[in-house]
Amino acid sequence: MEIKDIKARLDIGTVLKHYGLQPDRNNMLKCPFHADDKPSLKIYSTTNTFNCFGCGKSGDQIEFCTLKEGSKHKGLVKATELIGEIQPINNKPKQQKSQAKENPVLSVVEGHTEILTRVFESFRNGLSHPVSVKPKEYLKGRNLKHELLEIGYNSGQFHHRGKLSEADQKACINAGLLIPYSSPVPNATGNTFKVFAKDCIIFPLKNKQNQIVSIYGRSITNNNQSKHYYLKDRSGLYPGYPRPATTKLILTEAIIDAATLLQMPEITAECSILACYGTNGLTEEHKQAIKELEYLQEIIFFFDGDKAGNEAIEKYQTELSELMLPRKAGQAQIKLSSIETPEGEDVNSLSLAYETEIFTHLFEHRKPSRPSVRDESFLLTEKTEIKEREPQPQPLPEMQTRQTLPQQGKLNTRNPDFITYTTEELQIIILGGINLQQIDRLRITVKISRTDTNDPLHSIRHIIDLYHSDYLEKFIGKASEQLETGTNVLKRAIAELTEQIECYRLSKIESQKEQKPQARQLSEQRYRKALNYLKAPKLMERTNNDIGRTGMIGEENNRLLMYLVFTSRLREQPLHIISLGASGTGKTYLQEKVSELIPEQEKLEITILSENAFYYFDRKELKHKLVLIEDMDGAENVLYPLRELQSKKKISKTIPIKDSKGNMKTITLKVEGPISLAGTTTKERLYEDNANRSLLVYLDNSQQHKEQIMEYQRRLSAGKVNDKEENELKEFFKDMQTILKSIKVRNPYAELLKLPEYVFKPLRTNAHYLAVIETITFYHQFQRDIKMDRITGEHFIETTLEDIEWANKLLKEVLLAKADELNQAERSFFESLKKWLAANKKASFYAKEIREAFRMHPSKIKRYLYSLSTYNFIKITGGNRFKTGFEYEVIATDEYTTLENAVNTVLDNVLEEIKQKVSGSGGLQVVHGQNRPLNSNKISKINAVVQ
């Protein structure tokens, strides 16, 4: 057996009990490794470790055995013996076998424990998996953090696809995890077993040896959210048997209430938690576990604030008072109290409605129970006599009396910049708060003073690092002299303070973590509504019109094209888009309004990024994400990694780091795509490398479009725009995006398609053209039959001629811009210039005339005229540089009309030729006949997968 297995199974309390050692209620005991007059050895039961503040010895349960036995080998043998793996030499193996035969239940329980432990580990791993979105949503709604709790999720898949051997399968059946159907024929879903607690959050129930002996399931499905599941022959406790040194024990009505309290260091630092199984769920196992707590001083009931909860408290207080009455000689009577839960609330609901302080308040103001008739020490009538005759705690075995033992102090963090920690003898004030960033150190500024005097000489102020043991030892010596108190008192106070600060810091760090958007969950009604929309005819027209109803005014072609580009993020080859235009033309407005139709968890909005920012995302954090850049100028430093994510769909960076020993080594940061990138800019040529990988759309800068936007702004200001309807429509678009699933697209007409010969850089433009067609097909996935490739077995949907027609309509302006030698700003100026000349019946012009007519900046006029002269669209016919300026004449008056007609004609002619071929041949013949439609049964199964 490996050492890690021994540590996992051996509790340090078992070790202490074997050697006849018992810690006090502060988990302290006299150190057995040196002469100790006061308890100086601290037991940490949660980590199964110990530390002596006197001799400095520390370690885990195996180290304790090693120190007691005198050697490492003997210590390991003793530790293995204590978990029952081997027997002492005096015991005979034959007797052990016969004992197992006499008690067959023992072997069955051990078998159950083993399979339950393994299966529960798979449940924990399943809950941590990224696809486990629904259970995480449920836990978030319950304010339960699975990182802090020992819980899992049973999706009902742990026995599928050869995950269990035949022996393990039998063990699962015996344990009740799998229930065979009465008929050998599988049920409708193909299963031969019914799975225990399917679609449930799983909590382990443990025995005294801290082994899982049973499990509890809490359903998360909508129709079974209040359903509870326990294994047959339920045994074990949650979260386990209380620590032997427990002094205060909180009993909750439900397991989920106990889990809620376990997340609160303020409660767990002082109390142990134990869950009942409902108002009638205080079992004999609970009572026996409570009865064995030798140092128990108080039992606190924290049940629901309803009639059933109050009645259960009264019943159990009577039972426990009678159960705990025959205490050993010298032991104090156990107090019984209850926390008054607000009416209609329970522990978990309180955590949802209030901050953690509500629990501290309720705990501090808990009320004692009425004394039992059989408890003669409480049969007093006068209040003065009660105080005099109140039973005093008796000395613990082999320890000093309670009056000389310092109590564990309490950390008050209500003012984070003035934190106090008070014990019976000392008050420690932490000034300036606690650093939450540097986890590897705990540097604080403290003021330590005695509580029994106000003498300023009995206080000390200092800056200390609680993780610097050598320096801390010197400080304790100096402080004890100035405070005139013992070093053990200071050591214990600082050790306990350190523990509570660590818990406080961990809880603050967890609360400050950024909450990432969770995956979108749809009800059956919303899912069906989105599905019906995507199945209905004229999907593209309806989509474009409804985008306009979300507040996106004008830009009919651009908004629909951008929406399709954003949808392509779900495909293996996403599209990218860059909006171009002068400042104030609405580039950012278009991108923002269309991106509002995409679910939040599937997009990343960026204003500015540092050079290496993209390399520090999680490996798959950007996979199939929409990356939105408000202005390309703000992302200038990350243009290279963005281009790599666009082209190669992954980026990597190797950096040097220091290991724990200070040695340098290299690690490689990897981030995977693909991504769909969208950005805006006024500088097309400045970002040419990125623009070549993207579709370029130019904003409508016409006066008519501006009037439409201003009219909408007026109606919005007047309150005549239905904001609620717009927001509901945006959420509906997000629902549609959620149900779209990845599926292959094939274009049987791809080999017949052609681009206009005027287009610059035709290789990438052709790829964009085909990708837009495939994206339109992808958007129609619920309207297309799913086919299968007979050779590869791949499922796919096919492009139709209607998809190509829509792509031609959306891309004509984009292809025209790519075929034009001038950029959009220059083209717009040139066309306006030609219209002005025709309107004024002029054949030539001066720059001064144009500047006055168009009200443009002289430098911009000069730049445009230079570019037009360079491309030989205008020429100088007269004038001079210094007096009147040059006189210009337009050479090419119809070149843009010719180019526009050529681009449109090529696309229309190609589409018409394909239609004629299809109609003439009775349908497009598929090469090799390898593609065939699936039968109706197969289609229904694939549709279920896609949906």
Side-chain angles (χ1 to χ4, degrees):
M1 176 175 252
E2 296 185 4
I3 292 178
K4 64 179 182 179
D5 298 323
I6 298 174
K7 291 182 179 180
R9 295 179 57 183
L10 181 59
D11 183 70
I12 197 167
T14 305
V15 175
L16 297 175
K17 188 174 181 180
H18 172 76
Y19 290 112
L21 301 173
Q22 178 63 54
D24 62 14
R25 60 190 182 82
N26 295 317
N27 284 334
M28 300 291 294
L29 54 80
K30 292 181 181 179
C31 180
F33 309 122
H34 76 284
D36 200 2
D37 57 343
K38 292 183 180 180
S40 63
L41 188 138
K42 175 78 172 183
I43 301 298
Y44 305 94
S45 56
T46 55
T47 58
N48 283 319
T49 56
F50 67 94
N51 179 54
C52 179
F53 300 103
C55 64
K57 289 183 172 59
S58 62
D60 54 23
Q61 59 271 58
I62 295 179
E63 181 64 22
F64 196 99
C65 293
T66 300
L67 293 173
K68 289 293 290 182
E69 299 298 323
S71 70
K72 185 72 173 179
H73 173 71
K74 292 181 180 179
L76 284 171
V77 171
K78 177 58 69 175
T80 309
E81 176 186 324
L82 290 176
I83 63 173
E85 191 65 20
I86 63 174
Q87 297 296 327
I89 297 175
N90 295 333
N91 288 358
K92 297 180 180 180
K94 291 182 180 179
Q95 292 178 352
Q96 182 182 358
K97 290 181 181 178
S98 61
Q99 186 179 4
K101 288 180 180 179
E102 291 174 3
N103 190 7
V105 178
L106 183 63
S107 60
V108 172
V109 172
E110 289 176 352
H112 287 185
T113 299
E114 181 181 354
I115 194 65
L116 286 173
T117 303
R118 289 165 53 195
V119 172
F120 178 73
E121 190 62 30
S122 73
F123 292 161
R124 292 192 69 178
N125 295 336
L127 183 58
S128 302
H129 199 279
V131 301
S132 298
V133 176
K134 193 173 180 179
K136 290 176 184 174
E137 282 285 333
Y138 174 83
L139 291 175
K140 183 180 178 182
R142 286 286 191 172
N143 199 21
L144 296 177
K145 300 178 178 64
H146 68 91
E147 304 90 349
L148 303 179
L149 297 170
E150 190 178 8
I151 56 177
Y153 173 65
N154 181 9
S155 62
Q157 308 295 316
F158 68 91
H159 66 297
H160 285 180
R161 295 185 295 277
K163 293 181 180 179
L164 294 176
S165 65
E166 186 175 350
D168 289 342
Q169 194 175 83
K170 290 181 180 178
C172 287
I173 295 172
N174 293 334
L177 294 170
L178 296 176
I179 302 115
Y181 283 100
S182 57
S183 172
V185 181
N187 70 337
T189 59
N191 293 328
T192 56
F193 296 103
K194 181 180 178 182
V195 179
F196 168 79
K198 184 177 181 293
D199 295 326
C200 287
I201 300 296
I202 302 299
F203 299 80
L205 308 184
K206 298 184 177 181
N207 61 11
K208 193 173 183 180
Q209 289 73 40
N210 203 34
Q211 298 171 323
I212 300 176
V213 292
S214 188
I215 59 175
Y216 160 74
R218 181 69 174 252
S219 177
I220 67 171
T221 56
N222 293 331
N223 56 345
N224 278 331
Q225 278 202 6
S226 61
K227 199 157 186 179
H228 310 268
Y229 296 88
Y230 290 96
L231 279 177
K232 60 182 180 179
D233 302 326
R234 178 185 64 199
S235 63
L237 305 177
Y238 181 82
Y241 274 63
R243 298 187 302 268
T246 296
T247 56
K248 293 179 181 178
L249 177 68
I250 295 180
L251 293 177
T252 65
E253 182 174 322
I255 287 178
I256 200 168
D257 294 335
T260 304
L261 294 179
L262 288 173
Q263 301 174 130
M264 303 176 186
E266 302 89 343
I267 302 296
T268 56
E270 191 171 352
C271 304
S272 292
I273 312 295
L274 185 60
C276 298
Y277 305 140
T279 53
N280 294 315
L282 186 66
T283 66
E284 291 301 321
E285 189 173 7
H286 285 89
K287 296 176 182 178
Q288 185 60 33
I290 296 172
K291 192 172 183 179
E292 292 177 359
L293 298 175
E294 296 184 22
Y295 302 108
L296 185 62
Q297 297 177 4
E298 183 178 7
I299 299 175
I300 306 163
F301 290 87
F302 199 166
F303 278 27
D304 296 355
D306 54 18
K307 182 180 179 181
N310 294 331
E311 290 177 352
I313 291 175
E314 290 187 10
K315 178 178 72 171
Y316 290 142
Q317 283 181 341
T318 302
E319 290 182 11
L320 291 180
S321 64
E322 295 176 356
L323 174 72
M324 306 303 294
L325 195 60
R327 301 283 279 173
K328 293 181 181 180
Q331 289 183 327
Q333 177 64 34
I334 293 176
K335 298 178 183 178
L336 298 174
S337 61
S338 62
I339 294 175
E340 292 188 287
T341 308
E343 186 175 356
E345 299 283 358
D346 56 45
V347 176
N348 186 254
S349 66
L350 286 174
S351 72
L352 296 172
Y354 301 95
E355 298 295 330
T356 310
E357 286 75 11
I358 185 67
F359 292 94
T360 308
H361 174 79
L362 292 173
F363 180 77
E364 291 175 349
H365 293 82
R366 62 190 182 276
K367 66 175 184 178
S369 68
R370 290 177 295 178
S372 170
V373 175
R374 293 180 60 185
D375 187 359
E376 297 177 355
S377 63
F378 285 89
L379 296 178
L380 301 175
T381 55
E382 295 188 17
K383 295 181 180 179
T384 54
E385 295 181 12
I386 292 176
K387 184 175 181 181
E388 294 174 2
R389 296 185 56 183
E390 184 177 2
Q392 300 296 321
Q394 299 300 317
L396 300 177
E398 300 181 2
M399 296 187 183
Q400 293 187 344
T401 59
R402 179 176 180 270
Q403 288 81 354
T404 60
L405 287 175
Q407 294 183 346
Q408 186 175 13
K410 182 178 180 183
L411 193 69
N412 186 342
T413 59
R414 288 174 183 167
N415 184 348
D417 293 323
F418 191 84
I419 298 173
T420 62
Y421 178 80
T422 307
T423 67
E424 288 184 351
E425 298 179 351
L426 298 173
Q427 182 185 53
I428 304 176
I429 300 174
I430 304 173
L431 304 170
I434 297 168
N435 191 332
L436 302 179
Q437 307 303 323
Q438 294 177 305
I439 303 298
D440 59 336
R441 63 190 63 183
L442 193 49
R443 190 179 179 88
I444 57 175
T445 301
V446 296
K447 174 189 174 184
I448 306 178
S449 56
R450 283 170 46 178
T451 57
D452 58 349
T453 177
N454 294 324
D455 189 348
L457 294 178
H458 289 153
S459 65
I460 184 171
R461 297 166 177 82
H462 207 74
I463 298 175
I464 57 175
D465 186 348
L466 297 177
Y467 288 171
H468 197 312
S469 58
D470 294 339
Y471 183 75
L472 193 60
E473 192 73 25
K474 295 179 182 178
F475 167 74
I476 290 173
K478 179 182 177 181
S480 64
E481 292 179 5
Q482 185 162 340
L483 296 173
E484 296 181 358
T485 187
T487 57
N488 281 341
V489 173
L490 269 171
K491 284 182 181 180
R492 185 176 296 109
I494 291 178
E496 292 170 350
L497 170 65
T498 304
E499 278 192 343
Q500 295 196 27
I501 289 178
E502 287 172 337
C503 293
Y504 166 74
R505 183 164 65 173
L506 179 61
S507 64
K508 293 293 289 185
I509 292 173
E510 288 293 329
S511 65
Q512 291 179 4
K513 281 186 178 178
E514 180 184 0
Q515 297 295 323
K516 296 183 179 180
Q518 299 295 320
R520 195 175 185 83
Q521 300 292 326
L522 301 184
S523 65
E524 183 67 20
Q525 182 181 3
R526 294 182 69 90
Y527 177 87
R528 288 297 170 192
K529 185 178 178 182
L531 183 62
N532 292 337
Y533 187 98
L534 293 172
K535 284 183 174 181
K538 297 184 178 180
L539 178 59
M540 297 291 283
E541 292 95 329
R542 288 185 290 107
T543 298
N544 201 1
N545 293 335
D546 288 337
I547 292 175
R549 290 171 53 207
T550 63
M552 179 62 239
I553 305 302
E555 299 288 0
E556 284 81 3
N557 257 22
N558 287 340
R559 72 194 187 193
L560 182 56
L561 179 60
M562 184 172 286
Y563 177 75
L564 291 170
V565 171
F566 291 176
T567 302
S568 73
R569 77 192 184 280
L570 302 170
R571 305 189 65 236
E572 289 303 316
Q573 299 287 342
L575 288 161
H576 316 282
I577 192 167
I578 294 179
S579 304
L580 300 165
S583 179
T585 54
K587 303 181 300 298
T588 304
Y589 172 79
L590 171 65
Q591 182 171 288
E592 283 181 354
K593 297 301 288 185
V594 179
S595 68
E596 288 176 356
L597 312 180
I598 307 299
E600 285 75 12
Q601 71 274 8
E602 297 186 23
K603 61 186 178 182
L604 175 67
E605 299 181 77
I606 296 173
T607 302
I608 190 168
L609 276 177
S610 60
E611 184 176 358
N612 294 315
F614 267 101
Y615 296 100
Y616 290 93
F617 282 102
D618 292 341
R619 183 164 187 157
K620 295 186 178 182
E621 189 174 354
L622 296 180
K623 201 173 183 68
H624 296 295
K625 288 288 193 299
L626 170 63
V627 179
L628 301 162
I629 300 177
E630 188 173 323
D631 194 323
M632 299 290 283
D633 294 344
E636 190 172 358
N637 293 329
V638 294
L639 291 182
Y640 174 72
L642 278 175
R643 288 197 296 271
E644 293 300 294
L645 281 171
Q646 287 177 281
S647 300
K648 296 182 180 180
K649 303 181 185 61
K650 62 181 179 180
I651 55 175
S652 61
K653 184 183 183 71
T654 302
I655 60 172
I657 64 168
K658 286 185 178 180
D659 60 18
S660 58
K661 297 181 180 179
N663 301 320
M664 296 298 295
K665 66 176 184 178
T666 59
I667 62 170
T668 301
L669 307 174
K670 294 182 180 180
V671 179
E672 296 179 3
I675 65 167
S676 177
L677 176 67
T680 67
T681 184
T682 59
K683 306 169 184 177
E684 177 182 352
R685 291 197 172 96
L686 183 62
Y687 306 111
E688 187 172 1
D689 283 344
N690 289 78
N692 289 337
R693 294 167 170 80
S694 310
L695 294 174
L696 305 181
V697 294
Y698 294 90
L699 276 293
D700 184 0
N701 199 26
S702 65
Q703 187 61 34
Q704 180 183 1
H705 183 230
K706 293 177 181 176
E707 284 295 333
Q708 289 177 339
I709 295 176
M710 288 189 288
E711 176 61 26
Y712 175 79
Q713 290 171 341
R714 295 185 193 105
R715 289 191 296 111
L716 186 64
S717 179
K720 295 184 177 181
V721 174
N722 191 337
D723 294 337
K724 183 179 179 181
E725 182 181 345
E726 286 186 358
N727 292 331
E728 288 177 353
L729 195 52
K730 291 174 185 176
E731 293 300 315
F732 180 65
F733 268 99
K734 293 176 185 178
D735 292 347
M736 288 193 293
Q737 289 287 316
T738 302
I739 71 172
L740 289 172
K741 302 299 178 184
S742 178
I743 189 171
K744 293 288 184 181
V745 175
R746 290 189 182 181
N747 184 356
Y749 312 102
E751 295 176 317
L752 304 176
L753 297 174
K754 294 181 182 178
L755 283 179
E757 59 184 8
Y758 307 100
V759 172
F760 295 111
K761 301 178 181 175
L763 295 180
R764 277 187 172 158
T765 304
N766 185 60
H768 293 157
Y769 178 49
L770 295 175
V772 170
I773 296 173
E774 292 175 8
T775 301
I776 295 173
T777 305
F778 175 80
Y779 188 51
H780 287 80
Q781 61 181 249
F782 294 106
Q783 300 185 15
R784 304 294 157 79
D785 290 336
I786 297 177
K787 300 183 178 181
M788 184 182 74
D789 191 314
R790 295 171 60 184
I791 297 177
T792 64
E794 182 181 60
H795 300 103
F796 62 92
I797 55 177
E798 284 190 347
T799 296
T800 65
L801 293 176
E802 185 184 1
D803 298 340
I804 299 175
E805 192 171 352
W806 267 105
N808 291 349
K809 179 180 178 180
L810 294 174
L811 290 178
K812 279 180 180 178
E813 293 183 7
V814 175
L815 295 177
L816 182 61
K818 284 186 174 287
D820 196 357
E821 294 178 291
L822 303 177
N823 63 37
Q824 185 68 13
E826 295 167 345
R827 172 57 64 187
S828 179
F829 169 77
F830 190 32
E831 294 304 307
S832 299
L833 174 62
K834 288 190 286 186
K835 290 179 182 178
W836 182 82
L837 289 173
N840 290 278
K841 299 180 181 179
K842 300 185 69 170
S844 62
F845 63 92
Y846 289 91
K848 181 180 179 181
E849 295 177 294
I850 300 303
R851 193 201 69 77
E852 293 175 351
F854 292 174
R855 300 177 66 184
M856 296 175 66
H857 195 278
S859 63
K860 186 178 289 188
I861 289 284
K862 183 178 179 181
R863 186 169 66 252
Y864 287 162
L865 293 178
Y866 175 78
S867 180
L868 292 173
S869 300
T870 303
Y871 286 109
N872 205 30
F873 289 144
I874 62 174
K875 67 178 181 178
I876 298 174
T877 58
N880 59 77
R881 182 189 297 272
F882 303 104
K883 294 184 179 180
T884 60
F886 291 116
E887 183 180 10
Y888 297 91
E889 180 181 335
V890 175
I891 301 174
T893 56
D894 298 328
E895 49 82 31
Y896 189 65
T897 304
T898 304
L899 179 64
E900 189 175 16
N901 291 335
V903 171
N904 294 341
T905 301
V906 169
L907 295 177
D908 294 339
N909 289 345
V910 169
L911 182 59
E912 191 60 34
E913 289 176 7
I914 295 175
K915 288 181 179 180
Q916 291 177 1
K917 287 183 180 180
V918 171
S919 60
S921 61
L924 191 67
Q925 298 299 316
V926 181
V927 181
H928 306 307
Q930 67 179 33
N931 301 333
R932 61 183 177 89
L934 301 175
N935 59 51
S936 58
N937 291 334
K938 191 70 173 178
I939 289 175
S940 63
K941 290 182 180 180
I942 302 301
N943 275 332
V945 174
V946 173
Q947 294 174 15

